[in-house]
Amino acid sequence: ENLIDLYFLVGTKFKNAVEKVIPSLAPRVYVTGWPKIDLLRHYKDQIYGSTAAQLRKKHGSFLLFSSDFGTNTEEKVDGAYLQDKKSGVHSRMCQADLRRKICQRNLAEFRGMIAFLKRIDKDKNILPIIVRPHPGDDKGIWEKELKGCQKVKVIYEGNSFSWILAAQGVLHRGCSSATEANLMGVSSAY
Protein backbone atom coordinates (compact mmCIF):
# COMPACT_ATOMS: atom_id res chain seq x y z
CA GLU A 1 0.00 0.00 0.00
CA ASN A 2 2.85 2.42 0.78
CA LEU A 3 4.51 1.49 -2.51
CA ILE A 4 1.51 2.65 -4.58
CA ASP A 5 1.70 6.23 -5.81
CA LEU A 6 -1.25 6.06 -8.21
CA TYR A 7 -3.77 3.30 -8.86
CA PHE A 8 -5.53 3.28 -12.25
CA LEU A 9 -8.71 1.27 -12.76
CA VAL A 10 -11.09 0.57 -15.66
CA GLY A 11 -14.31 1.64 -13.93
CA THR A 12 -16.06 3.02 -10.87
CA LYS A 13 -17.14 -0.45 -9.72
CA PHE A 14 -13.46 -1.38 -9.25
CA LYS A 15 -12.65 2.03 -7.76
CA ASN A 16 -15.38 1.63 -5.15
CA ALA A 17 -14.20 -1.89 -4.31
CA VAL A 18 -10.57 -0.77 -3.82
CA GLU A 19 -11.62 2.19 -1.69
CA LYS A 20 -13.77 -0.10 0.45
CA VAL A 21 -11.00 -2.65 1.00
CA ILE A 22 -8.13 -0.14 1.36
CA PRO A 23 -9.63 3.25 2.28
CA SER A 24 -6.21 4.91 2.58
CA LEU A 25 -5.72 4.48 -1.20
CA ALA A 26 -8.79 6.58 -2.05
CA PRO A 27 -6.89 9.81 -2.87
CA ARG A 28 -4.60 7.88 -5.22
CA VAL A 29 -7.25 5.89 -7.13
CA TYR A 30 -8.25 7.07 -10.63
CA VAL A 31 -10.75 5.73 -13.14
CA THR A 32 -9.10 5.85 -16.55
CA GLY A 33 -11.26 3.46 -18.56
CA TRP A 34 -9.81 0.73 -20.70
CA PRO A 35 -7.86 2.51 -23.44
CA LYS A 36 -7.77 -0.32 -25.99
CA ILE A 37 -11.47 -1.04 -25.57
CA ASP A 38 -12.46 2.63 -25.57
CA LEU A 39 -10.38 3.38 -28.67
CA LEU A 40 -11.76 0.44 -30.65
CA ARG A 41 -15.33 1.15 -29.64
CA HIS A 42 -15.39 4.92 -30.14
CA TYR A 43 -12.45 6.03 -32.31
CA LYS A 44 -11.78 3.11 -34.67
CA ASP A 45 -12.67 5.09 -37.79
CA GLN A 46 -10.49 8.07 -36.88
CA ILE A 47 -7.51 5.85 -36.03
CA TYR A 48 -7.81 2.91 -38.45
CA GLY A 49 -10.40 4.00 -41.02
CA SER A 50 -8.10 5.32 -43.74
CA THR A 51 -5.82 2.27 -43.62
CA ALA A 52 -8.87 -0.03 -43.63
CA ALA A 53 -10.20 1.81 -46.70
CA GLN A 54 -6.85 1.30 -48.46
CA LEU A 55 -6.96 -2.41 -47.64
CA ARG A 56 -10.53 -2.72 -48.99
CA LYS A 57 -9.48 -0.88 -52.15
CA LYS A 58 -6.47 -3.16 -52.63
CA HIS A 59 -8.11 -6.49 -51.68
CA GLY A 60 -11.82 -5.93 -52.29
CA SER A 61 -14.36 -7.65 -50.04
CA PHE A 62 -12.82 -10.40 -47.95
CA LEU A 63 -13.11 -12.43 -44.78
CA LEU A 64 -10.20 -12.36 -42.35
CA PHE A 65 -9.00 -15.50 -40.60
CA SER A 66 -7.02 -14.42 -37.57
CA SER A 67 -4.77 -17.30 -36.57
CA ASP A 68 -3.83 -18.06 -32.99
CA PHE A 69 -2.21 -21.48 -33.33
CA GLY A 70 1.25 -20.41 -32.21
CA THR A 71 2.58 -23.92 -32.80
CA ASN A 72 1.89 -24.83 -36.41
CA THR A 73 4.91 -27.05 -37.13
CA GLU A 74 6.50 -30.07 -35.43
CA GLU A 75 9.58 -27.89 -34.81
CA LYS A 76 7.49 -25.36 -32.89
CA VAL A 77 5.90 -28.13 -30.82
CA ASP A 78 9.33 -29.57 -29.97
CA GLY A 79 10.72 -26.08 -29.29
CA ALA A 80 7.95 -25.25 -26.83
CA TYR A 81 8.47 -28.56 -25.03
CA LEU A 82 12.25 -28.16 -24.78
CA GLN A 83 11.92 -24.53 -23.68
CA ASP A 84 9.79 -25.65 -20.74
CA LYS A 85 11.93 -28.68 -19.91
CA LYS A 86 15.13 -26.59 -19.86
CA SER A 87 13.61 -23.50 -18.23
CA GLY A 88 14.84 -24.25 -14.71
CA VAL A 89 11.40 -23.20 -13.44
CA HIS A 90 9.93 -26.13 -11.55
CA SER A 91 6.29 -25.48 -12.46
CA ARG A 92 7.13 -25.13 -16.20
CA MET A 93 9.29 -28.23 -16.14
CA CYS A 94 6.48 -30.23 -14.52
CA GLN A 95 3.92 -28.96 -17.05
CA ALA A 96 6.10 -29.57 -20.14
CA ASP A 97 4.34 -32.81 -21.12
CA LEU A 98 0.93 -31.18 -20.79
CA ARG A 99 2.07 -28.21 -22.86
CA ARG A 100 3.40 -30.59 -25.50
CA LYS A 101 -0.06 -32.21 -25.74
CA ILE A 102 -1.70 -28.80 -26.08
CA CYS A 103 0.78 -27.81 -28.78
CA GLN A 104 0.20 -31.11 -30.61
CA ARG A 105 -3.55 -30.47 -30.49
CA ASN A 106 -2.95 -26.97 -31.91
CA LEU A 107 -0.86 -28.50 -34.70
CA ALA A 108 -3.63 -30.99 -35.52
CA GLU A 109 -6.17 -28.15 -35.57
CA PHE A 110 -3.83 -26.15 -37.83
CA ARG A 111 -3.72 -29.05 -40.27
CA GLY A 112 -7.51 -29.27 -40.15
CA MET A 113 -7.75 -25.54 -40.86
CA ILE A 114 -5.46 -25.91 -43.87
CA ALA A 115 -7.71 -28.67 -45.26
CA PHE A 116 -10.81 -26.52 -44.59
CA LEU A 117 -9.32 -23.46 -46.30
CA LYS A 118 -8.29 -25.51 -49.35
CA ARG A 119 -11.80 -26.95 -49.56
CA ILE A 120 -13.60 -23.61 -49.37
CA ASP A 121 -11.09 -22.00 -51.73
CA LYS A 122 -13.07 -23.73 -54.49
CA ASP A 123 -16.48 -22.46 -53.29
CA LYS A 124 -17.56 -19.55 -55.47
CA ASN A 125 -20.19 -18.49 -52.92
CA ILE A 126 -17.61 -17.66 -50.25
CA LEU A 127 -15.70 -14.40 -50.22
CA PRO A 128 -11.93 -14.48 -50.56
CA ILE A 129 -10.18 -15.19 -47.28
CA ILE A 130 -7.07 -13.46 -46.02
CA VAL A 131 -5.17 -15.45 -43.42
CA ARG A 132 -3.31 -13.32 -40.92
CA PRO A 133 -0.83 -15.62 -39.15
CA HIS A 134 -0.31 -15.24 -35.43
CA PRO A 135 3.06 -13.63 -34.55
CA GLY A 136 4.11 -16.99 -33.05
CA ASP A 137 3.13 -18.97 -36.16
CA ASP A 138 5.62 -20.10 -38.75
CA LYS A 139 4.39 -17.84 -41.56
CA GLY A 140 6.29 -19.83 -44.18
CA ILE A 141 4.29 -22.99 -43.49
CA TRP A 142 1.06 -21.05 -44.04
CA GLU A 143 2.35 -19.87 -47.42
CA LYS A 144 3.66 -23.32 -48.36
CA GLU A 145 0.45 -25.13 -47.41
CA LEU A 146 -1.87 -22.64 -49.12
CA LYS A 147 0.22 -22.16 -52.25
CA GLY A 148 -1.97 -22.56 -55.30
CA CYS A 149 -5.14 -21.37 -53.62
CA GLN A 150 -6.99 -18.79 -55.68
CA LYS A 151 -9.12 -17.08 -53.03
CA VAL A 152 -7.16 -17.78 -49.85
CA LYS A 153 -4.13 -15.54 -49.35
CA VAL A 154 -1.64 -15.32 -46.49
CA ILE A 155 -0.79 -11.74 -45.57
CA TYR A 156 0.99 -10.52 -42.46
CA GLU A 157 1.51 -6.79 -42.63
CA GLY A 158 0.34 -3.72 -40.75
CA ASN A 159 -1.70 -3.75 -37.57
CA SER A 160 -4.48 -6.25 -36.99
CA PHE A 161 -7.07 -3.58 -36.14
CA SER A 162 -7.01 -2.12 -39.67
CA TRP A 163 -7.42 -5.59 -41.18
CA ILE A 164 -10.33 -6.40 -38.88
CA LEU A 165 -12.05 -3.11 -39.72
CA ALA A 166 -11.49 -3.69 -43.46
CA ALA A 167 -12.92 -7.22 -43.42
CA GLN A 168 -16.52 -8.18 -44.08
CA GLY A 169 -16.16 -10.61 -41.20
CA VAL A 170 -13.58 -12.29 -38.97
CA LEU A 171 -13.11 -16.04 -38.68
CA HIS A 172 -11.37 -17.11 -35.48
CA ARG A 173 -10.71 -19.90 -32.98
CA GLY A 174 -11.62 -17.92 -29.88
CA CYS A 175 -8.80 -15.39 -29.92
CA SER A 176 -8.81 -11.72 -28.93
CA SER A 177 -9.48 -10.70 -32.56
CA ALA A 178 -13.07 -11.86 -32.03
CA THR A 179 -13.52 -9.42 -29.15
CA GLU A 180 -11.82 -6.66 -31.13
CA ALA A 181 -14.11 -7.33 -34.12
CA ASN A 182 -17.15 -7.18 -31.86
CA LEU A 183 -16.04 -3.85 -30.41
CA MET A 184 -15.60 -2.45 -33.92
CA GLY A 185 -18.96 -3.72 -35.13
CA VAL A 186 -17.49 -6.36 -37.46
CA SER A 187 -19.21 -9.75 -37.60
CA SER A 188 -17.23 -12.76 -36.47
CA ALA A 189 -17.64 -16.53 -36.54
CA TYR A 190 -15.99 -19.30 -34.56
Side-chain angles (χ1 to χ4, degrees), residues 1-153:
E1 167 181 342
N2 292 334
L3 299 175
I4 300 172
D5 294 324
L6 300 171
Y7 200 171
F8 301 104
L9 298 163
V10 297
T12 55
K13 181 178 178 180
F14 296 104
K15 180 181 188 289
N16 294 340
V18 168
E19 290 174 345
K20 183 177 180 180
V21 174
I22 312 170
S24 62
L25 279 181
R28 295 174 274 166
V29 175
Y30 295 89
V31 174
T32 58
W34 199 332
K36 176 181 175 181
I37 303 300
D38 295 337
L39 289 172
L40 292 179
R41 187 179 291 150
H42 304 294
Y43 302 103
K44 65 184 180 295
D45 293 322
Q46 294 92 319
I47 299 170
Y48 305 108
S50 64
T51 305
Q54 291 170 2
L55 291 171
R56 281 190 293 274
K57 184 176 180 181
K58 181 176 180 179
H59 299 285
S61 293
F62 64 90
L63 298 173
L64 178 69
F65 173 66
S66 182
S67 170
D68 69 338
F69 293 102
T71 47
N72 62 340
T73 64
E74 291 288 349
E75 293 79 14
K76 286 208 168 261
V77 171
D78 293 341
Y81 173 77
L82 290 174
Q83 184 180 23
D84 282 350
K85 273 297 195 191
K86 295 178 178 180
S87 70
V89 178
H90 180 72
S91 60
R92 284 183 62 190
M93 292 165 59
C94 291
Q95 295 293 320
D97 291 326
L98 174 61
R99 183 169 182 208
R100 178 183 216 123
K101 287 179 184 176
I102 292 168
C103 291
Q104 287 171 330
R105 186 188 72 220
N106 282 349
L107 179 57
E109 289 177 10
F110 166 76
R111 290 176 175 150
M113 178 56 73
I114 292 293
F116 171 74
L117 290 170
K118 286 179 176 179
R119 199 168 51 250
I120 64 170
D121 183 63
K122 296 170 179 59
D123 190 330
K124 300 204 183 298
N125 296 316
I126 296 177
L127 288 172
I129 296 175
I130 293 178
V131 174
R132 182 180 171 85
H134 184 273
D137 287 353
D138 179 332
K139 293 161 200 60
I141 196 73
W142 276 108
E143 292 164 348
K144 177 183 172 193
E145 293 292 334
L146 295 173
K147 185 176 182 179
C149 288
Q150 299 302 305
K151 294 180 7 182
V152 178
K153 303 292 180 210

